[in-house]
Amino acid sequence: MALTPRRGRTRASLLGLLAATVMTTAGLAGTAGAATSPAQAQTATGSAKASTLGAQAAQSGRYFGAAVAAGKLGDTTYAGILNREFNMVTPENEMKWDTIERSRGSFNFAPADQIANHATSRGQRLRGHTLVWHSQLPSWVSSIGDATTLRSVMKNHITTTMAHYKGKIYAWDVVNEAFADGGGGQHRPSVFQNLLGDGFIEEAFRTARSADPAAKLCYNDYNIEDWNAAKTQGVYRMVRDFKARGVPIDCVGFQAHFGSGGPPTSFQTTLSSFAALGVDVQITELDIAQAPAAAYTNTTRACMNVPRCTGITVWGIRDSDSWRAGEKPLLFDNNGNKKAAYNATLTALGGTPAATKAATSPTASLPSSFKWNSSGILMSPKPDATHNIAGLKDPTVVRHNGKWHVFASVASASGYNLVYLSFTDWSQAASATHHYLDRSAIGTGYRAAPQVFYFAPQNKWYLVYQTGNASYSTNSDISNPNGWSAPKNFYSAMPDIIKQNIGNGYWVDMWVICDSANCYLFSSDDNGHLYRSQTTLAQFPNGFTNTVIAAQDSNKYALFEASNIYKVQGSNQYLLIVEAIGSDGKRYFRSWTSSSIAGSWTQLAASEANPFARANNTAFPAGAWTKDISHGELIRAGTDQTLTINPCQLQYLYQGMNPNAGGDYNTLPWRLGLLTQTNSAC
Ligand code: 9MR
């Protein structure tokens, strides 16, 4: 079989080659080697497990707090739990304006002092809540009618209150709930907004910084947990603007008063997106209707997964202490007993209550072997007058605004380009229009193996693909095929380590994934190496350096190409799958897991006999149209740069082809189908 590589590269035609190559399975049993990063070493070593929320949170440098009422400190059950479990305290009402300055210039710190003294004498820290808020505001303030008076009153309130607690407060909620619900992300009406205008928030923060430069200054609000909400975006724009202009702000508090479903799926994206602006993020008033354990787990994990999420505060101790008592939303029941949500939270913080131990096992939700059902052919090439297409390949897919958005390579003897399709349901995939992206600024020439994701920090879609280099285009609207920008390269040239190891291979299949601090760019060389480069989330898409071999195998067919790396939702695990070529010459996938994107990778289902996805663990109820399970991508839980998958009922969109087809690699008749896992562990 003669290879016909074009300038740049062409995927090697190994199908024919393999017929003459004796493959041994011995090599397949080897672990793909990987360097151990300091982060990984730390994770592997672990820390001692603690048995209380505060102590366990402290193991990762975080706090776990509760809202406290001065009037309950004499209740021994209440105080007992407070003293045992929590290392941060927020006065629930005692630091609000209507308590502290009920009449103009007359300050009453007694109730708040009671809480502050209780906390500081026990080594618990304090969050100050709250200086400027439209609610629990005495009528003498809300009835002020001129800006000069109000400005002076506001500044005096901030300065006097902060001066009293100077040095005792970890973080102040300087302004609370200034944004309106719904709408377009604007401020809500209030006496502050109405008389002082949009600038009142900035004035409050500047005043606060002068009053106590050591305290962290937070903006705090509710219903800003969903990244897609207009209110969230409004607050995000404000924080971005404050950081850009040097207005002092150190943190954003997400109140997290959730319904029984718990946090929105985008909550971690929201936390990491704000953190990427250079502020700490905190969960400040957590309570969840009916307190489902899973909802507390998801909330806690979202924070644990974001390094700048510095702590969690629950809004009360026992259900009976809650402002939502009827919904039983807290971690302790009315008698002070731990609820299931308590154990779930402690577990998610890294602790180990016996009853929930299984949930923390690294691959609890991913089985160690997989079974799939395949669809028939869902998508085939649609040649047109100017596009003579033989194969539809290398799909990447996201679900957004009620539609599937699929990007794929199109190949023919004359070369490669990209195509875009969208449809609401897989049953409509075959009839979807094929939009060739050479008609956008992406242009003609060699473009292949796309990967699409939404880069939340920049509010932009990215399409990553190979051009000989690793390239990308951006678009503000994924549904507009003409909106893609001209290709730009991630690298100025092929990194030296790849040049040194690529041999006769090809540089292919670029893949980007980010955690809350960094982005990683993976690529393969068809020569047994998976490479990884790194940049910061803030620098992305620039700054990819430190290219290393992330995994390797002396049998190049065992670690060939088409790698996907995903974050497994609800765990601290990442999943790596890499396409291999089996002893039968057919494509299949091996899998590994790791607690860090930087590895090291531990085999999950990684052999021909126990593959991630191969013809031998796939049933074809609609007819066995392929023996190759080749380049594709898992269906994700979201769209953002974290590439999060739900480990329950995995689905994999892949390329396959008629087993009897042959000929030039670029003219092979690849088609797209969908695998659905049939042995979900969930
Ligand atoms: O829990 C507080 C409750 O006791 C008060 O009656 C109420 C008054 O508005 O405020 C509650 O706390 C709120 C917090 O200060 C700001 N975010 C919403 C909280 C729940 O309403």
Side-chain angles (χ1 to χ4, degrees):
M1 169 79 213
L3 301 185
T4 55
R6 251 184 310 286
R7 198 182 65 76
R9 54 68 60 210
T10 287
R11 192 72 54 84
S13 175
L14 283 144
L15 297 164
L17 186 65
L18 281 167
T21 307
V22 179
M23 299 277 299
T24 66
T25 51
L28 299 179
T31 303
T36 301
S37 71
Q40 167 62 14
Q42 197 184 345
T43 307
T45 308
S47 333
K49 304 289 184 186
S51 58
T52 64
L53 299 167
Q56 187 57 50
Q59 302 262 358
S60 64
R62 294 177 174 81
Y63 65 81
F64 206 98
V68 167
K72 291 179 181 163
L73 291 172
D75 174 331
T76 51
T77 307
Y78 181 89
I81 301 171
L82 169 62
N83 300 343
R84 185 185 75 220
E85 297 286 344
F86 300 99
N87 53 12
M88 183 71 75
V89 168
T90 307
E92 186 174 358
N93 290 298
E94 293 78 353
M95 286 185 175
K96 293 173 180 173
W97 201 315
D98 64 354
T99 299
I100 290 216
E101 195 186 5
R102 178 168 285 281
S103 57
R104 184 168 176 180
S106 164
F107 286 81
N108 170 23
F109 295 113
D113 282 353
Q114 226 189 311
I115 296 175
N117 292 339
H118 183 102
T120 47
S121 67
R122 289 168 178 79
Q124 296 161 320
R125 291 184 293 169
L126 284 159
R127 289 191 88 265
H129 176 81
T130 174
L131 294 164
V132 180
W133 186 24
H134 67 275
S135 182
Q136 286 177 283
L137 187 65
S139 57
W140 70 266
V141 182
S142 47
S143 58
I144 290 172
D146 70 285
T148 310
T149 306
L150 182 64
R151 179 171 286 117
S152 135
V153 158
M154 182 181 85
K155 289 186 174 174
N156 184 54
H157 181 76
I158 293 171
T159 304
T160 308
T161 305
M162 288 184 76
H164 182 83
Y165 292 106
K166 195 165 180 171
K168 292 186 179 163
I169 303 284
Y170 160 73
W172 268 105
D173 291 334
V174 179
V175 175
N176 194 40
E177 301 175 7
F179 279 71
D181 292 305
Q186 71 277 32
H187 294 177
R188 74 166 69 239
S190 71
V191 67
F192 304 107
Q193 178 69 28
N194 301 349
L195 294 187
L196 305 179
D198 283 348
F200 89 88
I201 304 180
E202 173 172 350
E203 288 188 57
F205 274 85
R206 289 192 188 278
T207 307
R209 180 65 98 223
S210 308
D212 184 356
K216 286 184 182 285
L217 307 181
C218 300
Y219 176 78
N220 190 55
D221 214 328
Y222 64 92
N223 281 355
I224 58 167
E225 294 82 10
D226 181 350
W227 180 242
N228 303 308
K231 189 172 176 182
T232 309
Q233 291 298 314
V235 175
Y236 180 82
R237 284 192 295 273
M238 176 189 75
V239 176
R240 190 173 57 188
D241 170 59
F242 278 17
K243 294 306 271 187
R245 292 191 297 112
V247 179
I249 184 166
D250 307 304
C251 37
V252 175
F254 298 81
Q255 294 186 6
H257 296 294
F258 292 136
S260 58
T265 50
S266 62
F267 187 34
Q268 189 180 316
T269 294
T270 304
L271 293 175
S272 60
S273 300
F274 274 85
L277 293 175
V279 288
D280 289 343
V281 292
Q282 298 159 2
I283 295 173
T284 51
E285 304 183 12
L286 179 61
D287 49 26
I288 309 180
Q290 315 311 330
Y296 268 97
T297 298
N298 292 341
T299 307
T300 306
R301 283 181 172 162
C303 180
M304 295 298 286
N305 288 339
V306 176
R308 286 198 79 157
C309 183
T310 57
I312 300 174
T313 294
V314 285
W315 206 242
I317 295 179
R318 300 161 301 195
D319 286 333
S320 49
D321 302 318
S322 170
W323 69 299
R324 309 165 69 183
E327 295 176 286
K328 302 188 187 323
L330 293 174
L331 302 179
F332 296 88
D333 69 16
N334 295 354
N335 297 318
N337 299 313
K338 295 172 182 172
K339 296 163 59 180
Y342 171 95
N343 286 342
T345 303
L346 182 59
T347 301
L349 290 169
T352 52
T356 55
K357 197 164 182 186
T360 64
S361 118
T363 54
S365 315
L366 285 173
S368 52
S369 66
F370 294 84
K371 285 195 189 312
W372 310 90
N373 266 356
S374 177
S375 70
I377 294 171
L378 294 179
M379 287 166 266
S380 301
K382 287 193 179 172
D384 66 16
T386 52
H387 297 88
N388 176 25
I389 311 296
L392 181 62
K393 315 174 41 159
D394 313 328
T396 180
V397 57
V398 288
R399 180 90 183 164
H400 177 66
N401 277 351
K403 286 192 158 183
W404 297 109
H405 300 265
V406 174
F407 297 79
S409 308
V410 284
S412 69
S414 60
Y416 278 73
N417 207 279
L418 304 175
V419 69
Y420 164 71
L421 304 73
S422 81
F423 44 86
T424 51
D425 191 272
W426 294 109
S427 63
Q428 294 160 356
S431 53
T433 303
H434 288 208
H435 299 274
Y436 291 104
L437 297 184
D438 57 3
R439 294 182 175 131
S440 74
I442 288 176
T444 55
Y446 179 74
R447 283 108 177 79
Q451 181 208 8
V452 71
F453 60 88
Y454 182 69
F455 191 67
Q458 295 170 2
N459 291 323
K460 262 188 222 166
W461 294 95
Y462 273 75
L463 195 66
V464 172
Y465 48 93
Q466 65 201 42
T467 55
N469 200 314
S471 303
Y472 66 91
S473 297
T474 62
N475 194 342
S476 58
D477 176 4
I478 192 175
S479 66
N480 175 12
N482 298 319
W484 293 101
S485 61
K488 286 192 179 160
N489 291 340
F490 286 111
Y491 300 103
S492 55
M494 181 188 283
D496 285 344
I497 190 168
I498 304 182
K499 282 187 196 149
Q500 288 151 15
N501 289 281
I502 193 168
N504 293 325
Y506 299 96
W507 190 24
V508 298
D509 298 339
M510 287 70 190
W511 182 265
V512 168
I513 177 171
C514 309
D515 57 26
S516 58
N518 295 303
C519 292
Y520 303 83
L521 172 50
F522 288 82
S523 57
S524 294
D525 68 0
D526 284 358
N527 195 34
H529 305 101
L530 176 66
Y531 301 101
R532 184 188 71 240
S533 308
Q534 190 172 334
T535 190
T536 62
L537 197 68
Q539 276 184 289
F540 180 85
N542 302 309
F544 274 112
T545 50
N546 298 329
T547 307
V548 296
I549 295 177
Q552 61 187 322
D553 200 303
S554 55
N555 172 5
K556 67 181 180 183
Y557 304 121
L559 198 83
F560 200 62
E561 57 184 16
S563 302
N564 303 147
I565 298 96
Y566 297 98
K567 174 72 173 59
V568 180
Q569 194 172 51
S571 81
N572 288 321
Q573 292 295 301
Y574 290 87
L575 172 69
L576 164 68
I577 65 174
V578 185
E579 186 176 359
I581 303 176
S583 50
D584 55 358
K586 300 299 180 191
R587 304 291 178 120
Y588 75 103
F589 281 91
R590 306 172 66 206
S591 59
W592 294 259
T593 58
S594 172
S595 58
S596 151
I597 300 176
S600 58
W601 297 100
T602 303
Q603 290 193 5
L604 182 63
S607 67
E608 284 199 58
N610 181 28
F612 178 73
R614 187 170 182 254
N616 62 344
N617 68 343
T618 302
F620 289 87
W625 60 276
T626 178
K627 286 187 176 153
D628 289 287
I629 308 287
S630 183
H631 194 139
E633 114 131 284
L634 283 165
I635 303 303
R636 300 178 217 158
T639 59
D640 73 15
Q641 72 283 349
T642 63
L643 309 187
T644 303
I645 52 164
N646 180 338
C648 302
Q649 264 235 326
L650 296 172
Q651 290 193 295
Y652 190 73
L653 184 64
Y654 74 103
Q655 63 173 35
M657 71 167 159
N658 181 339
N660 303 318
D664 177 76
Y665 184 77
N666 295 339
T667 63
L668 291 173
W670 294 101
R671 306 286 183 260
L672 305 184
L674 182 69
L675 301 181
T676 299
Q677 191 191 359
T678 53
N679 70 328
S680 172
C682 311

